[in-house]
Amino acid sequence: MARVALVTGGTRGIGAEISIALQTAGRTVVATYASNDQAAEAFSKVTGIKVYRFNAAKFEECSDALKKIVAEVGPIEILVNNAGITRDGTLQKMDRDMWDAVIDTNLGSCYNLCKLTFDSMRNAKFGRIVSIGSVNGQAGQYGQVNYAAAKSGIHGFTKALAQEGARFGITVNAIAPGYVDTEMVRAVPPEVLQKIIARIPVGRLGKPTDISRGVVFLTADDCDFVTGSTLSINGGQHMY
């Protein structure tokens, strides 16, 4: 029976590509989303992937949704924490709501979903968790103290949880994408985008498939000796 994979923020952008790649790899995929019903319905119609709407930043909503998903599809064996938002601004202009929204969605959602699926993975003696970080969580970025803090937190969260899961057959890893050609990045003013690309040694933006290939690798059944790692997929923009 195909393993069940849940991808948060899995109906658009990088998340959609991850969902499709996991489906192609033979997984039974469930994609979640927060608000865009039209996009989610269109995605589900084209791919046949089941979609569920809930706010990944809200623990009770996650809990209710997971109970429904497990009853309808089965226990979650593969979890991809991809849900994320931006609320950019310098610290001087950033209010507490902007900070909380990004921390709760980008980092808090990792706690929520891992907390709700980890026991089942432990009992099954198998689990694959991949959380999507960012090059800006590694290198920092002007005007993104909230986003950089959340994404950097994912990298620490990953290393700690990997130690808890290792003896139960659960691997926990992260991917730190660089700038990827998505709707969010295409909204950047062209002159700014060109400056960004100029700093990428391979000379282009990433593609969603660059990231999804990494997820497929890290969630494979036989990828059981890689845990606590952050895979940087950024075209050489940041190396360490």
Side-chain angles (χ1 to χ4, degrees):
M1 188 172 178
R3 297 195 185 278
V4 177
L6 186 149
V7 183
T8 65
T11 64
R12 300 170 62 197
I14 292 173
E17 194 60 49
I18 291 170
S19 295
I20 293 167
L22 288 172
Q23 182 188 55
T24 301
R27 310 308 195 182
T28 297
V29 179
V30 172
T32 80
Y33 69 104
S35 59
N36 194 327
D37 291 324
Q38 184 176 2
E41 290 168 8
F43 172 80
S44 182
K45 184 175 181 180
V46 169
T47 63
I49 292 172
K50 286 191 173 184
V51 297
Y52 292 81
R53 177 175 174 168
F54 62 90
N55 185 346
K58 305 293 186 182
F59 186 83
E60 291 304 322
E61 285 192 35
C62 293
S63 179
D64 291 344
L66 261 292
K67 289 173 185 175
K68 183 177 181 181
I69 291 168
V70 170
E72 294 180 356
V73 185
I76 306 303
E77 297 169 285
I78 298 167
L79 170 64
V80 182
N81 292 307
N82 173 71
I85 61 171
T86 57
R87 297 289 185 271
D88 294 350
T90 62
L91 185 63
Q92 185 180 20
K93 297 179 180 178
M94 184 179 294
D95 61 33
R96 185 59 192 244
D97 287 344
M98 295 167 68
W99 171 268
D100 287 345
V102 170
I103 297 296
D104 289 347
T105 300
N106 297 18
L107 182 58
S109 63
C110 294
Y111 166 83
N112 292 342
L113 274 299
C114 288
K115 175 70 174 177
L116 291 165
T117 58
F118 202 75
D119 281 351
S120 175
M121 292 180 184
R122 276 179 44 138
N123 292 336
K125 296 294 190 291
F126 178 90
R128 297 286 182 267
I129 297 171
V130 178
S131 300
I132 306 301
S134 171
V135 65
N136 290 344
Q138 298 171 317
Q141 177 63 18
Y142 183 91
Q144 284 196 325
V145 295
N146 49 4
Y147 186 83
K151 293 299 188 178
S152 181
I154 284 174
H155 301 148
F157 178 93
T158 293
K159 294 177 187 298
L161 189 60
Q163 296 180 52
E164 296 183 25
R167 65 192 178 99
F168 299 103
I170 304 169
T171 66
V172 187
N173 294 289
I175 290 178
Y179 285 86
V180 177
D181 188 6
T182 60
E183 182 180 338
M184 183 172 69
V185 172
R186 286 193 295 270
V188 173
E191 63 277 10
V192 176
L193 192 57
Q194 287 307 310
K195 291 179 181 177
I196 291 171
I197 294 172
R199 298 198 304 268
I200 302 173
V202 301
R204 67 169 176 85
L205 295 172
K207 294 179 282 191
T209 51
D210 294 325
I211 312 306
S212 65
R213 280 194 294 268
V215 173
V216 170
F217 165 69
L218 291 172
T219 57
D221 281 19
D222 57 2
C223 189
D224 57 356
F225 202 61
V226 181
T227 195
S229 295
T230 295
L231 175 59
S232 295
I233 306 178
N234 60 35
Q237 182 182 349
H238 181 67
M239 307 179 193
Y240 79 111

